[in-house]
Amino acid sequence: MELDDRKSTILKAIVSNYLETGEPVGSRTISKMSDLGLSSATIRNEMADLEELGYIIQPHTSAGRIPTDAGYRFYVDRLMEEKVEVEEERGSLLERVDRMELLLKQVARVLASNTNYATLVTAPDYKKTVKFIQLSLVDASNLLAVIVVDGNIIKNQMIHLNVLLDNEDVLKFNILLNTFLQGASLEDINLEMIQEMKKQSGEYADILDHIFTGITDAIHEAQKIDIYTSGSTNFLKYPELADANKASELLETFEDKDELNALIRETDAEGDDTGIQIYIGDETPVQNMKDCSLVTATYQMPEGAKGRIGIIGPKRMDYKKVVSTLKNLTIELDDIFKKSREVTNDE
């Protein structure tokens, strides 16, 4: 709900103070801020209202207040409305490297070092299409499927058969699969296409179904995004995340590339992929990160492929610094990619 100016100012002061100190904030602390001009009693009344509205809680009877997820969300939304400024004369954060993999690993390290949070960077997510499929008989009951997708990524899939095929049968399958699947992405493969392929395979429709499952599994595996991470031990710097069980779950999740792939794909689907997205607490798609906040940004290659940069830390992270750092970094990456393309075109 909308808050009046006084409540908004007090809530922002509570969140700002808690982000800086990590300690519950009392009315006396707020009253000492010279620009407020409010008595402790007035502030206590407003804090009681804010607590009733769900923006702050009192962790202990004698303690001050700390923000709830709703309080952080209010602060972040106001912060985004204020348009965090990009540094006009920013220094370069990155050193020049020739390989994309080295550059993205460097981005993850630099962000982790500059923010003291955990970071992840994805490789550009090119839409991968099938370039070629080759089936070969290994023995009487096993086929080897070699699938080549864009970027010359090669995936091998062993397919067990419950009937005997000869080389002529395998040749027919190769022709059929390449006719339908060359140039297709996983999203292009639909029920209508599968039904037509089965129809053309005649008596071998059941075998095709079995082969097809193996091939789509391999294509799906090829579509996973490379993710580079850094700063996982930074979780341990924050008491609220350093509990043995909680830290163990966080570290395990952060090292699980399948979990991180799912995280990136879910946040990709939800937000405006041209800007900064902030997920707080329960808004974070991964269960083991519900005590964290995740801030993501998108960088874009000249040819249109996009990658994601994510910063994960406690809910009391320095959002203003994180947002500013991400904006500066994405601008620098855009400059690097633009110059790299200009050099390539000149050659």
Side-chain angles (χ1 to χ4, degrees), residues 3-4 6-14 43-57 65-66 68 70-71 74:
L3 300 180
D4 61 38
R6 180 187 288 177
K7 285 185 175 63
S8 296
T9 301
I10 291 173
L11 178 55
K12 186 174 179 181
I14 291 170
I43 293 170
R44 279 196 297 274
N45 288 336
E46 296 290 3
M47 289 172 75
D49 289 344
L50 287 170
E51 187 171 2
E52 187 175 331
L53 292 168
Y55 289 102
I56 57 176
I57 57 171
R65 268 69 165 189
I66 65 173
T68 62
F74 176 90

Side-chain angles (χ1 to χ4, degrees), residues 139-208:
D139 54 39
S141 57
N142 289 288
L143 273 175
L144 174 65
V146 179
I147 302 99
V148 183
V149 299
D150 285 337
N152 289 327
I153 298 170
I154 300 173
K155 293 293 178 182
N156 298 324
Q157 186 83 12
M158 191 66 72
I159 301 169
H160 180 72
L161 301 173
N162 52 13
V163 296
L164 297 179
L165 294 178
D166 58 28
N167 287 325
E168 188 176 341
D169 294 326
V170 174
L171 176 61
K172 290 178 182 177
F173 275 122
N174 275 323
I175 293 171
L176 180 65
L177 290 166
N178 282 287
T179 298
F180 277 88
L181 298 182
Q182 269 187 351
S185 69
L186 201 59
E187 293 78 13
D188 296 327
I189 301 171
N190 53 39
L191 185 59
E192 184 179 351
M193 179 188 290
I194 295 170
Q195 291 299 332
E196 182 59 30
M197 290 174 71
K198 283 186 175 181
K199 181 180 176 182
Q200 293 194 25
S201 64
E203 61 182 302
Y204 294 120
D206 290 342
I207 301 174
L208 177 74

